[in-house]
């Protein structure tokens, strides 16, 4: 399982960093939960997310908005994703926690550490493919530099 | 030999021209901290619900001045400068907490009561009969600056100036009513984020008051057929120009309008629809047809109702070219589970990753960078005329001009 989750994380990060955002919703089941929050909010049980999607459709809409509607300077990410800790099974899903680090590269060449945190995942198998039923992105800092366009 | 920089001259009397130096000038920025944030205004400093019990506190800022806001022993809320009277260290280090009946500075253990008065000096009488403070030292003469506080609609405001009028009078009847339209019952905090913006604080405040840009910059609105300038609504500006309320009303009467397409505005598109329209599953919860209401209280508060996504945003200046926006997402204490879920979904519309607000996080930076060499030039703020009166259209910059009217009065320009 450790190897399968690691490979899934690698493919997930590669899709985002390669700007294949259209592939991103397919890492999730339908329905699903994808949320980006902070360690503070998470610790206090605060439910809000800067991005909050509870259906695959909402993930597709997020990508469509980024491509067609939202305005932001050209930028890309480089994910460095750590080794998952497999936390066992609950409600028919494998639970995993994986640390990550994201460097953001701006149009003018500026590279900056944009986010660090951990993925809290619930993973299920669908027709032999491992997918996220839940991916809660818990950022270590509650401070976000300017904007968060591309998903983490 | 050093010379102080010459005082800037405001170019002309019209509210429709703003000099670009105002976004970067260091001396002007320092003057703003004193004349505006520390002046006769009410700064938003937090929520009453964060201070439920005696000793509950939050730390925040008034301008750049660190402050502690705390629930006192008789139930009232106090605010004082977060600076030890001894050597100037922060008295409270955490963002929030509960302190009992005293705050104690970690440096030399000087302690303060919940009003911010100095009540204890460690080794005041010395040790083993030696040392200690001089006989003449009087604790009552020393202490951090104390601020007046006021509350309305569960919001806590603080002022350093005895000249700030009562909060109801400061807001005026019309703004007060629109504030209480949203914040009329106990709130529940759904979460908090801080957004770091690479621009002068005034560029953000102007942006919030600028009803003209919304459906042009935030193309999510018009791309997904949600909000357009051709819909009903308008902007209410307080008589002094300081505060504003803008509203969008959906009467369904703009559906046939081709105004965006006719002008070749990139936001017009018929190809896109939401895959999951539950994002916009809205209920009217305030007894009227107002879909979006954005309200500002001079100088640093935004109260937002975007459909059912509610939030307060606190603007904190961090130097001439930087600021922080502190978002607190709200629901009501009596929300149903369904309403809670609706608010969480609609929270996607706003915030650092908001469909209709992520652009606000970078457009201020575009201006800040754009005007870097334009000290002598002026921005053009003429949409909807020259004045700062309320209008029944959002195709206007009346509220932006109102901001400059109030700004110039406080700054003496």
């Amino acid at each position: 399982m450790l190897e399968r989750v690691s490979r899934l994380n690698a493919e997930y990060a590669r899709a985002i960093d390669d700007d294949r955002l259209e592939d991103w919703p397919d890492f999730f089941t339908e329905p699903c939960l994808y949320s980006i929050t902070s360690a503070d909010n998470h610790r206090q049980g605060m439910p809000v997310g800067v991005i909050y999607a509870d259906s695959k459709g909402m993930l597709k809409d997020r990508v469509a908005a980024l491509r067609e509607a939202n305005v932001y300077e050209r930028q890309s990410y480089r994910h460095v994703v750590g080794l998952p800790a497999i936390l066992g099974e609950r409600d028919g899903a494998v639970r995993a926690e994986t640390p990550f680090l994201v460097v953001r590269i701006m149009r003018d060449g500026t590279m900056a550490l944009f986010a660090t945190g951990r993925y809290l995942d619930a993973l299920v198998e669908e027709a032999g493919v491992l997918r996220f039923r839940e991916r809660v992105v818990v950022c270590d800092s509650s401070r976000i530099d300017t904007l968060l366009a591309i998903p983490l | 030999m050093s010379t102080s920089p010459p005082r800037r001259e405001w170019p002309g009397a019209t509210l429709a021209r703003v000099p670009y130096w105002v976004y970067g000038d260091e001396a002007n920025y320092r003057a703003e901290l004193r004349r505006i944030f520390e002046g006769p205004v009410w700064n938003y400093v937090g929520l009453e619900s964060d201070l439920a019990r005696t000793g509950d506190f939050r730390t925040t800022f008034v301008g750049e001045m660190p402050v502690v806001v705390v629930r006192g022993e008789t139930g009232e809320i106090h605010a004082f400068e977060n600076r030890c009277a001894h050597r100037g260290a922060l008295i409270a280090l955490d963002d929030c907490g509960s302190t009992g009946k005293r705050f104690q500075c970690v440096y030399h253990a000087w302690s303060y009561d919940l009003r911010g008065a100095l009540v204890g000096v460690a080794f005041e009488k010395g040790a083993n009969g030696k040392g200690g403070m001089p006989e003449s030292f009087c604790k009552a003469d020393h202490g951090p600056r104390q601020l007046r506080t006021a509350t309305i609609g569960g919001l806590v405001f603080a002022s350093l100036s005895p000249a700030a009028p009562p909060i109801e009078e400061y807001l005026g009847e019309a703004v007060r009513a629109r504030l209480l339209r949203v914040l009329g019952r106990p709130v529940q905090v759904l979460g908090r984020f801080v957004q770091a913006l690479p621009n002068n604080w005034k560029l953000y405040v102007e942006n919030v008051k600028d009803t003209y840009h919304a459906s042009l910059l935030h193309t999510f609105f018009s791309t997904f057929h949600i909000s357009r300038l051709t819909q009903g609504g308008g902007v209410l500006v307080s008589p002094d120009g300081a505060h504003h309320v803008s509203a969008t009303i959906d009467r369904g009467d703009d559906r046939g309008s081709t105004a965006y397409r006719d002008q070749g505005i990139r936001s017009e598109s018929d190809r896109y629809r939401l895959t999951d329209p539950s994002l916009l599953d809205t209920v009217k919860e305030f007894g009227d047809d107002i879909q979006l209401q954005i309200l500002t209280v001079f100088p640093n508060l935004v109260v937002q109702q975007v459909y059912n996504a509610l939030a307060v945003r606190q603007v904190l200046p961090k130097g001439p070219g930087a600021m922080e926006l502190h978002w607190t997402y709200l629901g009501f204490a009596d929300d149903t589970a369904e309403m809670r879920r609706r608010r969480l979904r609609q929270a996607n519309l706003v915030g650092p990753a908001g469909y209709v607000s992520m652009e606000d996080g970078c457009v201020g930076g575009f201006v800040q960078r754009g005007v870097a060499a334009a000290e002598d030039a002026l921005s053009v703020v003429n949409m909807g005329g020259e004045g700062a009166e309320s209008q029944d259209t959002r195709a206007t910059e009346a509220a932006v001009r109102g901001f400059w009217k109030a700004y110039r009065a406080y700054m003496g320009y």
Side-chain angles (χ1 to χ4, degrees):
Chain A
M1 186 48 72
L2 177 66
E3 195 198 322
R4 290 188 73 191
V5 178
S6 295
R7 200 181 311 133
L8 177 65
N9 279 336
E11 287 165 6
Y12 174 98
R14 206 163 157 262
I16 293 173
D17 294 356
D18 289 353
D19 193 30
R20 287 183 286 109
L21 296 183
E22 284 71 12
D23 295 345
W24 173 63
D26 284 331
F27 287 96
F28 294 82
T29 60
E30 173 72 71
C32 61
L33 175 69
Y34 175 80
S35 157
I36 300 179
T37 187
S38 70
D40 261 355
N41 285 327
H42 186 70
R43 195 182 306 113
Q44 296 173 48
M46 297 285 187
V48 85
V50 277
I51 295 180
Y52 181 95
D54 58 5
S55 73
K56 204 165 175 167
M58 285 181 79
L59 297 174
K60 289 179 181 164
D61 289 337
R62 181 59 77 163
V63 175
L66 290 177
R67 298 292 195 216
E68 305 295 338
N70 286 125
V71 178
Y72 54 100
E73 284 187 283
R74 203 171 70 238
Q75 55 188 273
S76 64
Y77 289 167
R78 180 64 59 204
H79 278 74
V80 178
V81 181
L83 201 60
I86 309 297
L87 307 175
E89 262 191 64
R90 204 170 70 232
D91 306 330
V94 172
R95 303 282 161 159
E97 175 179 331
T98 308
F100 68 88
L101 182 155
V102 171
V103 175
R104 183 167 68 170
I105 304 95
M106 300 299 290
R107 180 175 66 95
D108 67 354
T110 308
M111 292 183 288
L113 189 55
F114 180 60
T116 69
R118 55 196 172 126
Y119 293 120
L120 300 184
D121 299 326
L123 298 133
V124 293
E125 201 163 328
E126 275 186 346
V129 180
L130 204 57
R131 290 202 165 93
F132 299 110
R133 193 171 77 191
E134 247 184 68
R135 167 153 270 197
V136 177
V137 185
V138 181
C139 296
D140 295 321
S141 170
S142 44
R143 185 185 156 104
I144 291 163
D145 185 10
T146 307
L147 56 72
L148 201 159
I150 307 169
L152 290 168
Chain B
M1 195 178 78
S2 71
T3 53
S4 57
R7 183 176 159 80
R8 297 279 194 162
E9 290 294 328
W10 200 270
T14 174
L15 297 174
R17 293 291 180 276
V18 178
Y20 289 127
W21 57 255
V22 83
Y23 304 112
D25 186 90
E26 179 77 36
N28 183 68
Y29 174 74
R30 293 285 143 205
E32 286 172 351
L33 294 178
R34 271 192 302 280
R35 287 173 175 252
I36 294 176
F37 293 96
E38 296 178 27
V41 302
W42 286 106
N43 294 272
Y44 167 74
V45 290
L47 295 171
E48 265 196 280
S49 63
D50 287 328
L51 310 168
R53 290 177 301 274
T54 296
D56 286 358
F57 71 90
R58 290 194 74 85
T59 55
T60 182
F61 295 88
V62 163
E64 287 197 356
M65 176 178 130
V67 296
V68 180
V69 187
V70 59
R71 178 76 67 175
E73 296 193 48
T74 53
E76 75 280 44
I77 292 172
H78 305 297
F80 56 89
E81 190 175 14
N82 190 2
R83 171 183 59 85
C84 182
H86 178 218
R87 298 299 308 279
L90 291 171
I91 296 167
L93 297 177
D94 293 329
D95 291 340
C96 61
S98 197
T99 193
K101 292 184 176 182
R102 294 279 183 276
F103 288 93
Q104 192 172 68
C105 175
V106 295
Y107 198 177
H108 301 87
W110 286 31
S111 57
Y112 299 85
D113 69 13
L114 299 185
R115 291 175 174 274
L118 176 63
V119 292
V121 170
F123 294 104
E124 187 174 0
K125 304 292 177 203
N128 302 324
K130 296 177 183 172
M133 299 297 283
E135 280 298 318
S136 61
F137 180 78
C138 175
K139 289 197 283 290
D141 295 342
H142 296 271
R145 283 183 282 179
Q146 293 174 357
L147 289 83
R148 298 165 63 202
T149 61
T151 60
I152 188 166
L155 306 172
V156 184
F157 294 86
S159 180
L160 268 163
S161 169
I167 189 74
E168 290 79 9
E169 194 182 313
Y170 182 72
L171 296 174
E173 185 49 39
V175 173
R176 181 179 158 275
R178 296 292 280 275
L179 177 71
L180 294 176
R181 170 185 171 268
V182 178
L183 298 176
R185 54 202 166 109
V187 296
Q188 182 161 9
V189 174
L190 301 181
R192 294 182 159 87
F193 292 98
V194 177
Q195 192 175 2
L197 303 186
N199 54 261
N200 185 275
W201 67 277
K202 298 187 293 299
L203 284 167
Y204 185 77
V205 176
E206 282 187 285
N207 175 275
V208 174
K209 289 172 178 277
D210 168 4
T211 48
Y212 173 35
H213 85 281
S215 67
L216 300 171
L217 173 66
H218 306 310
T219 50
F220 182 88
F221 269 149
S222 35
T223 299
F224 291 95
H225 291 256
I226 298 165
S227 173
R228 304 171 180 213
L229 279 180
T230 42
Q231 285 178 316
V235 58
L236 185 159
V237 186
S238 66
D240 59 355
H243 325 299
H244 102 291
V245 189
S246 70
T248 304
I249 298 166
D250 183 18
R251 301 194 204 94
D253 54 2
D254 90 306
R255 296 290 153 81
S257 168
T258 57
Y260 283 80
R261 187 181 306 155
D262 295 347
Q263 297 180 74
I265 295 167
R266 63 188 155 80
S267 53
E268 177 73 6
S269 163
D270 285 321
R271 285 181 298 156
Y272 297 98
R273 289 289 183 275
L274 289 170
T275 310
D276 186 346
S278 71
L279 173 71
L280 301 172
D281 166 31
T282 303
V283 295
K284 292 176 182 175
E285 58 174 324
F286 301 110
D288 53 30
D289 289 331
I290 297 177
Q291 287 182 319
L292 285 78
Q293 175 180 296
I294 304 292
L295 183 151
T296 57
V297 177
F298 191 90
N300 78 328
L301 171 68
V302 183
V303 178
Q304 155 225 304
Q305 175 233 329
V306 175
Y307 296 97
N308 302 108
L310 313 179
V312 291
R313 315 175 195 164
Q314 181 189 22
V315 174
L316 294 180
K318 299 287 174 187
M323 60 161 280
E324 281 180 1
L325 193 58
H326 287 238
W327 293 82
T328 305
Y329 296 79
L330 300 176
F332 292 112
D334 58 5
D335 280 346
T336 61
E338 187 194 4
M339 191 63 169
R340 172 63 45 82
R341 193 166 176 213
R342 178 178 290 118
R343 295 200 204 283
L344 294 177
R345 282 178 174 161
Q346 293 184 4
N348 279 291
L349 295 169
V350 297
Y355 282 134
V356 293
S357 73
M358 72 168 80
E359 290 89 2
D360 295 323
C362 54
V363 77
F366 297 168
V367 176
Q368 194 83 26
R369 281 143 64 187
V371 304
E375 286 241 316
D376 298 331
L378 309 172
S379 77
V380 180
V381 195
N382 259 133
M383 188 52 68
E386 300 260 338
E389 290 79 36
S390 300
Q391 294 186 18
D392 60 359
T393 174
R394 289 173 300 129
T396 178
E397 290 167 320
V400 180
R401 290 188 292 273
F403 173 78
W404 291 109
K405 181 178 165 186
Y407 177 89
R408 286 166 61 178
Y410 283 102
M411 292 292 286
Y413 284 126

PDB file of all heavy atoms in Angstrom, chain B residues 164-186:
ATOM      1  N   ALA B 164     -13.317  60.499  18.449  1.00  0.00           N
ATOM      2  CA  ALA B 164     -14.169  59.652  17.609  1.00  0.00           C
ATOM      3  C   ALA B 164     -15.582  59.662  18.174  1.00  0.00           C
ATOM      4  O   ALA B 164     -15.776  59.404  19.357  1.00  0.00           O
ATOM      5  CB  ALA B 164     -13.620  58.229  17.561  1.00  0.00           C
ATOM      6  N   PRO B 165     -16.585  59.954  17.342  1.00  0.00           N
ATOM      7  CA  PRO B 165     -17.960  59.995  17.854  1.00  0.00           C
ATOM      8  C   PRO B 165     -18.439  58.590  18.204  1.00  0.00           C
ATOM      9  O   PRO B 165     -17.821  57.614  17.804  1.00  0.00           O
ATOM     10  CB  PRO B 165     -18.756  60.569  16.673  1.00  0.00           C
ATOM     11  CG  PRO B 165     -17.953  60.242  15.469  1.00  0.00           C
ATOM     12  CD  PRO B 165     -16.514  60.243  15.900  1.00  0.00           C
ATOM     13  N   PRO B 166     -19.557  58.459  18.925  1.00  0.00           N
ATOM     14  CA  PRO B 166     -20.097  57.122  19.211  1.00  0.00           C
ATOM     15  C   PRO B 166     -20.243  56.314  17.918  1.00  0.00           C
ATOM     16  O   PRO B 166     -20.535  56.901  16.864  1.00  0.00           O
ATOM     17  CB  PRO B 166     -21.456  57.412  19.838  1.00  0.00           C
ATOM     18  CG  PRO B 166     -21.328  58.792  20.402  1.00  0.00           C
ATOM     19  CD  PRO B 166     -20.371  59.526  19.508  1.00  0.00           C
ATOM     20  N   ILE B 167     -20.045  55.014  18.003  1.00  0.00           N
ATOM     21  CA  ILE B 167     -19.977  54.181  16.804  1.00  0.00           C
ATOM     22  C   ILE B 167     -21.229  54.317  15.925  1.00  0.00           C
ATOM     23  O   ILE B 167     -21.122  54.352  14.695  1.00  0.00           O
ATOM     24  CB  ILE B 167     -19.705  52.693  17.163  1.00  0.00           C
ATOM     25  CG1 ILE B 167     -19.417  51.856  15.926  1.00  0.00           C
ATOM     26  CG2 ILE B 167     -20.842  52.076  17.959  1.00  0.00           C
ATOM     27  CD1 ILE B 167     -18.078  52.070  15.310  1.00  0.00           C
ATOM     28  N   GLU B 168     -22.405  54.443  16.539  1.00  0.00           N
ATOM     29  CA  GLU B 168     -23.643  54.569  15.752  1.00  0.00           C
ATOM     30  C   GLU B 168     -23.604  55.839  14.906  1.00  0.00           C
ATOM     31  O   GLU B 168     -24.007  55.844  13.745  1.00  0.00           O
ATOM     32  CB  GLU B 168     -24.882  54.589  16.656  1.00  0.00           C
ATOM     33  CG  GLU B 168     -25.199  53.267  17.325  1.00  0.00           C
ATOM     34  CD  GLU B 168     -24.334  52.980  18.547  1.00  0.00           C
ATOM     35  OE1 GLU B 168     -23.588  53.906  18.971  1.00  0.00           O
ATOM     36  OE2 GLU B 168     -24.369  51.847  19.051  1.00  0.00           O
ATOM     37  N   GLU B 169     -23.112  56.904  15.533  1.00  0.00           N
ATOM     38  CA  GLU B 169     -23.016  58.183  14.849  1.00  0.00           C
ATOM     39  C   GLU B 169     -21.922  58.128  13.774  1.00  0.00           C
ATOM     40  O   GLU B 169     -22.062  58.685  12.693  1.00  0.00           O
ATOM     41  CB  GLU B 169     -22.690  59.247  15.901  1.00  0.00           C
ATOM     42  CG  GLU B 169     -22.863  60.679  15.458  1.00  0.00           C
ATOM     43  CD  GLU B 169     -22.459  61.626  16.596  1.00  0.00           C
ATOM     44  OE1 GLU B 169     -22.894  61.404  17.754  1.00  0.00           O
ATOM     45  OE2 GLU B 169     -21.688  62.548  16.331  1.00  0.00           O
ATOM     46  N   TYR B 170     -20.830  57.461  14.101  1.00  0.00           N
ATOM     47  CA  TYR B 170     -19.700  57.312  13.174  1.00  0.00           C
ATOM     48  C   TYR B 170     -20.158  56.625  11.885  1.00  0.00           C
ATOM     49  O   TYR B 170     -19.822  57.045  10.786  1.00  0.00           O
ATOM     50  CB  TYR B 170     -18.606  56.494  13.859  1.00  0.00           C
ATOM     51  CG  TYR B 170     -17.334  56.276  13.053  1.00  0.00           C
ATOM     52  CD1 TYR B 170     -16.432  57.307  12.832  1.00  0.00           C
ATOM     53  CD2 TYR B 170     -17.020  55.014  12.553  1.00  0.00           C
ATOM     54  CE1 TYR B 170     -15.253  57.103  12.122  1.00  0.00           C
ATOM     55  CE2 TYR B 170     -15.849  54.791  11.850  1.00  0.00           C
ATOM     56  CZ  TYR B 170     -14.966  55.839  11.630  1.00  0.00           C
ATOM     57  OH  TYR B 170     -13.815  55.621  10.929  1.00  0.00           O
ATOM     58  N   LEU B 171     -20.968  55.560  12.046  1.00  0.00           N
ATOM     59  CA  LEU B 171     -21.444  54.807  10.879  1.00  0.00           C
ATOM     60  C   LEU B 171     -22.544  55.551  10.141  1.00  0.00           C
ATOM     61  O   LEU B 171     -22.630  55.485   8.917  1.00  0.00           O
ATOM     62  CB  LEU B 171     -21.980  53.445  11.312  1.00  0.00           C
ATOM     63  CG  LEU B 171     -20.983  52.467  11.933  1.00  0.00           C
ATOM     64  CD1 LEU B 171     -21.715  51.225  12.426  1.00  0.00           C
ATOM     65  CD2 LEU B 171     -19.912  52.086  10.918  1.00  0.00           C
ATOM     66  N   GLY B 172     -23.387  56.239  10.902  1.00  0.00           N
ATOM     67  CA  GLY B 172     -24.573  56.852  10.309  1.00  0.00           C
ATOM     68  C   GLY B 172     -25.682  55.818  10.201  1.00  0.00           C
ATOM     69  O   GLY B 172     -25.434  54.609  10.145  1.00  0.00           O
ATOM     70  N   GLU B 173     -26.921  56.304  10.156  1.00  0.00           N
ATOM     71  CA  GLU B 173     -28.081  55.421  10.222  1.00  0.00           C
ATOM     72  C   GLU B 173     -28.136  54.426   9.053  1.00  0.00           C
ATOM     73  O   GLU B 173     -28.399  53.243   9.240  1.00  0.00           O
ATOM     74  CB  GLU B 173     -29.362  56.278  10.282  1.00  0.00           C
ATOM     75  CG  GLU B 173     -30.640  55.491  10.467  1.00  0.00           C
ATOM     76  CD  GLU B 173     -30.565  54.480  11.610  1.00  0.00           C
ATOM     77  OE1 GLU B 173     -29.973  54.802  12.660  1.00  0.00           O
ATOM     78  OE2 GLU B 173     -31.073  53.352  11.437  1.00  0.00           O
ATOM     79  N   ALA B 174     -27.855  54.916   7.851  1.00  0.00           N
ATOM     80  CA  ALA B 174     -28.022  54.049   6.675  1.00  0.00           C
ATOM     81  C   ALA B 174     -27.022  52.895   6.673  1.00  0.00           C
ATOM     82  O   ALA B 174     -27.384  51.734   6.436  1.00  0.00           O
ATOM     83  CB  ALA B 174     -27.870  54.880   5.398  1.00  0.00           C
ATOM     84  N   VAL B 175     -25.745  53.197   6.962  1.00  0.00           N
ATOM     85  CA  VAL B 175     -24.708  52.153   6.975  1.00  0.00           C
ATOM     86  C   VAL B 175     -24.959  51.196   8.139  1.00  0.00           C
ATOM     87  O   VAL B 175     -24.836  49.971   8.003  1.00  0.00           O
ATOM     88  CB  VAL B 175     -23.299  52.772   7.050  1.00  0.00           C
ATOM     89  CG1 VAL B 175     -22.233  51.700   7.230  1.00  0.00           C
ATOM     90  CG2 VAL B 175     -23.021  53.609   5.803  1.00  0.00           C
ATOM     91  N   ARG B 176     -25.330  51.783   9.274  1.00  0.00           N
ATOM     92  CA  ARG B 176     -25.605  50.957  10.457  1.00  0.00           C
ATOM     93  C   ARG B 176     -26.703  49.934  10.156  1.00  0.00           C
ATOM     94  O   ARG B 176     -26.583  48.749  10.489  1.00  0.00           O
ATOM     95  CB  ARG B 176     -26.025  51.880  11.603  1.00  0.00           C
ATOM     96  CG  ARG B 176     -26.314  51.170  12.897  1.00  0.00           C
ATOM     97  CD  ARG B 176     -26.702  52.179  13.986  1.00  0.00           C
ATOM     98  NE  ARG B 176     -27.460  51.511  15.018  1.00  0.00           N
ATOM     99  CZ  ARG B 176     -28.775  51.309  14.953  1.00  0.00           C
ATOM    100  NH1 ARG B 176     -29.468  51.741  13.926  1.00  0.00           N
ATOM    101  NH2 ARG B 176     -29.394  50.673  15.930  1.00  0.00           N
ATOM    102  N   ALA B 177     -27.760  50.397   9.499  1.00  0.00           N
ATOM    103  CA  ALA B 177     -28.879  49.494   9.191  1.00  0.00           C
ATOM    104  C   ALA B 177     -28.437  48.372   8.259  1.00  0.00           C
ATOM    105  O   ALA B 177     -28.835  47.212   8.419  1.00  0.00           O
ATOM    106  CB  ALA B 177     -30.032  50.290   8.572  1.00  0.00           C
ATOM    107  N   ARG B 178     -27.580  48.712   7.290  1.00  0.00           N
ATOM    108  CA  ARG B 178     -27.128  47.685   6.334  1.00  0.00           C
ATOM    109  C   ARG B 178     -26.118  46.728   6.964  1.00  0.00           C
ATOM    110  O   ARG B 178     -26.000  45.581   6.553  1.00  0.00           O
ATOM    111  CB  ARG B 178     -26.549  48.365   5.096  1.00  0.00           C
ATOM    112  CG  ARG B 178     -27.589  49.176   4.311  1.00  0.00           C
ATOM    113  CD  ARG B 178     -28.635  48.300   3.647  1.00  0.00           C
ATOM    114  NE  ARG B 178     -28.128  47.736   2.420  1.00  0.00           N
ATOM    115  CZ  ARG B 178     -28.159  48.357   1.238  1.00  0.00           C
ATOM    116  NH1 ARG B 178     -28.723  49.541   1.139  1.00  0.00           N
ATOM    117  NH2 ARG B 178     -27.654  47.784   0.181  1.00  0.00           N
ATOM    118  N   LEU B 179     -25.399  47.208   7.964  1.00  0.00           N
ATOM    119  CA  LEU B 179     -24.499  46.332   8.722  1.00  0.00           C
ATOM    120  C   LEU B 179     -25.327  45.321   9.527  1.00  0.00           C
ATOM    121  O   LEU B 179     -25.066  44.108   9.505  1.00  0.00           O
ATOM    122  CB  LEU B 179     -23.627  47.170   9.660  1.00  0.00           C
ATOM    123  CG  LEU B 179     -22.665  46.412  10.586  1.00  0.00           C
ATOM    124  CD1 LEU B 179     -21.522  45.815   9.785  1.00  0.00           C
ATOM    125  CD2 LEU B 179     -22.111  47.333  11.665  1.00  0.00           C
ATOM    126  N   LEU B 180     -26.346  45.850  10.197  1.00  0.00           N
ATOM    127  CA  LEU B 180     -27.175  44.978  11.035  1.00  0.00           C
ATOM    128  C   LEU B 180     -28.091  44.098  10.199  1.00  0.00           C
ATOM    129  O   LEU B 180     -28.595  43.085  10.688  1.00  0.00           O
ATOM    130  CB  LEU B 180     -27.977  45.810  12.033  1.00  0.00           C
ATOM    131  CG  LEU B 180     -27.105  46.536  13.071  1.00  0.00           C
ATOM    132  CD1 LEU B 180     -27.958  47.428  13.968  1.00  0.00           C
ATOM    133  CD2 LEU B 180     -26.316  45.542  13.917  1.00  0.00           C
ATOM    134  N   ARG B 181     -28.294  44.460   8.935  1.00  0.00           N
ATOM    135  CA  ARG B 181     -29.028  43.586   8.029  1.00  0.00           C
ATOM    136  C   ARG B 181     -28.356  42.215   7.977  1.00  0.00           C
ATOM    137  O   ARG B 181     -29.024  41.187   7.987  1.00  0.00           O
ATOM    138  CB  ARG B 181     -29.057  44.198   6.621  1.00  0.00           C
ATOM    139  CG  ARG B 181     -29.588  43.271   5.555  1.00  0.00           C
ATOM    140  CD  ARG B 181     -29.477  43.875   4.154  1.00  0.00           C
ATOM    141  NE  ARG B 181     -29.797  42.851   3.176  1.00  0.00           N
ATOM    142  CZ  ARG B 181     -28.896  42.059   2.594  1.00  0.00           C
ATOM    143  NH1 ARG B 181     -27.615  42.209   2.868  1.00  0.00           N
ATOM    144  NH2 ARG B 181     -29.282  41.128   1.752  1.00  0.00           N
ATOM    145  N   VAL B 182     -27.028  42.208   7.937  1.00  0.00           N
ATOM    146  CA  VAL B 182     -26.288  40.942   7.869  1.00  0.00           C
ATOM    147  C   VAL B 182     -25.973  40.423   9.271  1.00  0.00           C
ATOM    148  O   VAL B 182     -26.208  39.256   9.584  1.00  0.00           O
ATOM    149  CB  VAL B 182     -24.977  41.111   7.065  1.00  0.00           C
ATOM    150  CG1 VAL B 182     -24.190  39.800   7.038  1.00  0.00           C
ATOM    151  CG2 VAL B 182     -25.285  41.579   5.647  1.00  0.00           C
ATOM    152  N   LEU B 183     -25.447  41.295  10.119  1.00  0.00           N
ATOM    153  CA  LEU B 183     -24.958  40.833  11.427  1.00  0.00           C
ATOM    154  C   LEU B 183     -26.000  41.099  12.505  1.00  0.00           C
ATOM    155  O   LEU B 183     -25.738  41.769  13.505  1.00  0.00           O
ATOM    156  CB  LEU B 183     -23.634  41.522  11.746  1.00  0.00           C
ATOM    157  CG  LEU B 183     -22.508  41.205  10.757  1.00  0.00           C
ATOM    158  CD1 LEU B 183     -21.262  42.006  11.076  1.00  0.00           C
ATOM    159  CD2 LEU B 183     -22.188  39.712  10.754  1.00  0.00           C
ATOM    160  N   GLY B 184     -27.175  40.541  12.307  1.00  0.00           N
ATOM    161  CA  GLY B 184     -28.276  40.809  13.218  1.00  0.00           C
ATOM    162  C   GLY B 184     -28.472  39.754  14.296  1.00  0.00           C
ATOM    163  O   GLY B 184     -29.357  39.862  15.123  1.00  0.00           O
ATOM    164  N   ARG B 185     -27.668  38.697  14.258  1.00  0.00           N
ATOM    165  CA  ARG B 185     -27.808  37.651  15.287  1.00  0.00           C
ATOM    166  C   ARG B 185     -26.450  36.996  15.524  1.00  0.00           C
ATOM    167  O   ARG B 185     -25.515  37.243  14.760  1.00  0.00           O
ATOM    168  CB  ARG B 185     -28.872  36.632  14.871  1.00  0.00           C
ATOM    169  CG  ARG B 185     -28.663  36.017  13.524  1.00  0.00           C
ATOM    170  CD  ARG B 185     -29.988  35.472  12.967  1.00  0.00           C
ATOM    171  NE  ARG B 185     -29.859  35.181  11.557  1.00  0.00           N
ATOM    172  CZ  ARG B 185     -29.824  33.953  11.050  1.00  0.00           C
ATOM    173  NH1 ARG B 185     -29.907  32.908  11.846  1.00  0.00           N
ATOM    174  NH2 ARG B 185     -29.700  33.782   9.749  1.00  0.00           N
ATOM    175  N   PRO B 186     -26.342  36.159  16.568  1.00  0.00           N
ATOM    176  CA  PRO B 186     -25.011  35.649  16.946  1.00  0.00           C
ATOM    177  C   PRO B 186     -24.345  34.852  15.830  1.00  0.00           C
ATOM    178  O   PRO B 186     -24.963  33.986  15.210  1.00  0.00           O
ATOM    179  CB  PRO B 186     -25.305  34.758  18.158  1.00  0.00           C
ATOM    180  CG  PRO B 186     -26.569  35.304  18.730  1.00  0.00           C
ATOM    181  CD  PRO B 186     -27.375  35.769  17.542  1.00  0.00           C
TER     182      PRO B 186
END
